[in-house]
């Protein structure tokens, strides 16, 4: 039986109907969206029996800001990238639900609605999502005082393909896909990767995510560029990874390869592998179990519990 820690009790309260979380939505770019082609906004939100809801055809990216209301802000912020194979976004189950759980612990959260690759809305679809992730980091860091956060404790979290996007942000920050002449650091201070897509190689990569992001016949060079286990360096931020060893959608070897690359480059991190459970942890492990592991790692790395 898992221990009933304060984190566990807070999560139970959250999903039992706790209220008082302040949130607001804002467009990610105040002006022109880079790499965009003018086209009608066809974004849709549809109900889904398995994951509650799906947001699709995203062409206008945005951030939903979740500010702690019932608890004093800790100063730490997490930008959340929902998964969905670069074809849709699980914006509730892997977005707002998680943001509210962070808020109950005093952590400020931002759910990123990033553009989904589509040649009708982007000149180069492969780079739209990482542009949006970098813009999210830039926005949060530059407005840290407004959001009452520490600009040096801004992390990025991702699920599945959102984990691929988060790991791309954590390994490509030296290449400015937006704001090329800017001075604001685009490096996240830490990463949280939940059953992430990491590799785009033929043997362990998630080919559906690869096809959606890079197209059906990507060159070996771009496959390597977006296989983030090959892009880890000593400057890569610390990361927490968790995965099911029984995942048949995105093999656990994705997380293992990224963790091994971190070890080889002297980057601190943690890897939790569950012996059972499906992709997305739909039935196991329960949310409060893996989320508590995330929070314990954040505490151990002094990412929370430090105040502003």
């Amino acid at each position: 039986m898992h221990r009933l820690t304060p984190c566990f009790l807070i999560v139970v309260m959250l999903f039992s109907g706790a209220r008082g979380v302040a949130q607001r939505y804002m467009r990610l770019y105040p002006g022109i969206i880079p790499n965009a082609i003018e086209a009608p906004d066809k974004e849709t939100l549809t109900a889904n029996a398995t994951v509650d809801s799906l947001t699709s055809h995203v062409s206008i990216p945005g951030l939903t800001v979740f500010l702690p209301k019932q608890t004093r802000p800790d100063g730490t912020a997490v930008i959340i990238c929902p998964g969905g194979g670069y074809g849709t976004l699980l914006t509730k189950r892997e977005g707002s639900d998680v943001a509210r759980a962070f808020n109950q612990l005093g952590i400020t959260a931002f759910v990123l609605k990033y553009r989904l690759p589509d040649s009708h809305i982007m000149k180069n679809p492969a780079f739209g999502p990482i542009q949006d992730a970098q813009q999210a980091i830039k926005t949060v860091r530059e407005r840290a005082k407004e959001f009452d956060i520490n600009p040096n404790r801004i992390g990025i979290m991702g699920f599945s393909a959102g984990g691929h996007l988060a790991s791309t942000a954590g390994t490509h920050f030296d290449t400015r896909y937006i704001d090329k002449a800017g001075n604001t650091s685009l490096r996240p201070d830490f990463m949280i990767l939940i059953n992430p897509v990491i590799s785009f190689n033929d043997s362990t990569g998630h080919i559906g995510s690869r096809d959606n992001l890079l197209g059906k016949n990507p060159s070996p060079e771009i496959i390597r560029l977006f296989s983030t286990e090959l892009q880890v360096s000593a400057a890569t931020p610390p990361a927490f990874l968790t995965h099911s060893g029984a995942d048949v959608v995105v093999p656990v070897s994705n997380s293992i390869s990224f963790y091994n690359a971190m070890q080889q480059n002297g980057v601190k991190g943690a890897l939790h592998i569950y012996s059972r459970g499906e992709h997305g942890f739909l039935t196991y492990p329960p949310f409060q179990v893996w989320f508590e592991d995330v929070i314990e790692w954040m505490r151990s790395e002094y990412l929370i519990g430090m105040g502003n």
Side-chain angles (χ1 to χ4, degrees):
M1 180 179 294
H2 283 268
R3 56 200 182 280
L4 296 180
T5 64
C7 174
F8 175 91
L9 295 175
I10 287 170
V11 172
V12 170
M13 288 172 57
L14 168 70
F15 286 98
S16 297
R19 292 293 184 264
V21 175
Q23 70 180 79
R24 62 188 173 91
Y25 177 81
M26 62 185 189
R27 286 181 62 143
L28 187 59
Y29 299 92
I32 297 172
I33 301 172
N35 188 30
I37 296 172
E38 188 173 348
D41 179 8
K42 296 183 178 181
E43 182 177 315
T44 58
L45 178 65
T46 56
N48 182 279
T50 302
V51 297
D52 191 271
S53 61
L54 297 171
T55 302
S56 305
H57 305 292
V58 176
S59 59
I60 302 174
L63 273 181
T64 303
V65 186
F66 291 80
L67 303 175
K69 186 72 172 178
Q70 297 174 328
T71 305
R72 178 180 172 81
D74 182 86
T76 296
V78 179
I79 298 165
I80 303 168
C81 305
Y86 285 120
T88 189
L89 299 176
L90 282 66
T91 43
K92 182 178 184 298
R93 178 183 174 84
E94 297 178 357
S96 58
D97 285 351
V98 184
R100 292 189 175 97
F102 277 125
N103 277 179
Q104 294 296 320
L105 297 167
I107 300 167
T108 302
F110 302 81
V111 176
L112 174 60
K113 185 179 70 176
Y114 54 93
R115 285 173 288 172
L116 296 169
D118 185 337
S119 60
H120 294 95
I121 63 167
M122 280 181 277
K123 300 169 189 174
N124 193 332
F127 292 94
I130 183 57
Q131 288 177 311
D132 296 347
Q134 288 193 344
Q135 178 69 15
I137 295 168
K138 177 178 182 286
T139 299
V140 173
R141 183 157 282 136
E142 291 181 347
R143 298 173 67 174
K145 185 175 182 180
E146 173 189 342
F147 298 131
D148 198 14
I149 60 176
N150 186 326
N152 298 313
R153 293 214 309 270
I154 298 171
I156 192 162
M157 177 183 198
F159 296 78
S160 191
H164 178 266
L165 178 56
S167 69
T168 305
T171 54
H172 286 231
F173 53 85
D174 278 337
T175 301
R176 301 185 77 89
Y177 296 106
I178 51 103
D179 186 29
K180 295 186 184 299
N183 295 317
T184 302
S185 172
L186 302 179
R187 178 185 183 273
D189 296 300
F190 59 93
M191 297 179 287
I192 301 169
L193 309 178
I194 312 299
N195 45 73
V197 175
I198 294 293
S199 181
F200 276 167
N201 66 36
D202 290 336
S203 57
T204 61
H206 185 246
I207 303 305
S209 294
R210 187 181 81 179
D211 286 352
N212 284 339
L213 184 65
L214 305 182
K216 293 288 187 180
N217 298 295
S219 68
E221 292 75 20
I222 200 165
I223 289 174
R224 180 178 180 83
L225 180 67
F226 281 97
S227 292
T228 58
E229 82 280 15
L230 302 179
Q231 306 303 322
V232 174
S233 72
T236 299
F240 174 94
L241 300 100
T242 189
H243 219 118
S244 166
D247 192 332
V248 297
V249 178
V250 177
V252 69
S253 53
N254 281 264
S255 285
I256 293 172
S257 65
F258 195 84
Y259 181 75
N260 285 341
M262 291 169 56
Q263 291 282 293
Q264 291 163 9
N265 285 275
V267 178
K268 295 176 67 175
L271 172 61
H272 287 234
I273 299 175
Y274 294 96
S275 61
R276 61 187 181 89
E278 61 287 282
H279 185 65
F281 298 156
L282 297 177
T283 61
Y284 186 89
F287 175 86
Q288 65 268 21
V289 171
W290 69 258
F291 187 72
E292 185 176 1
D293 288 337
V294 170
I295 297 302
E296 179 56 34
W297 176 76
M298 293 177 73
R299 287 196 184 105
S300 73
E301 294 298 316
Y302 305 104
L303 297 168
I304 55 174
M306 301 294 289
N308 283 310

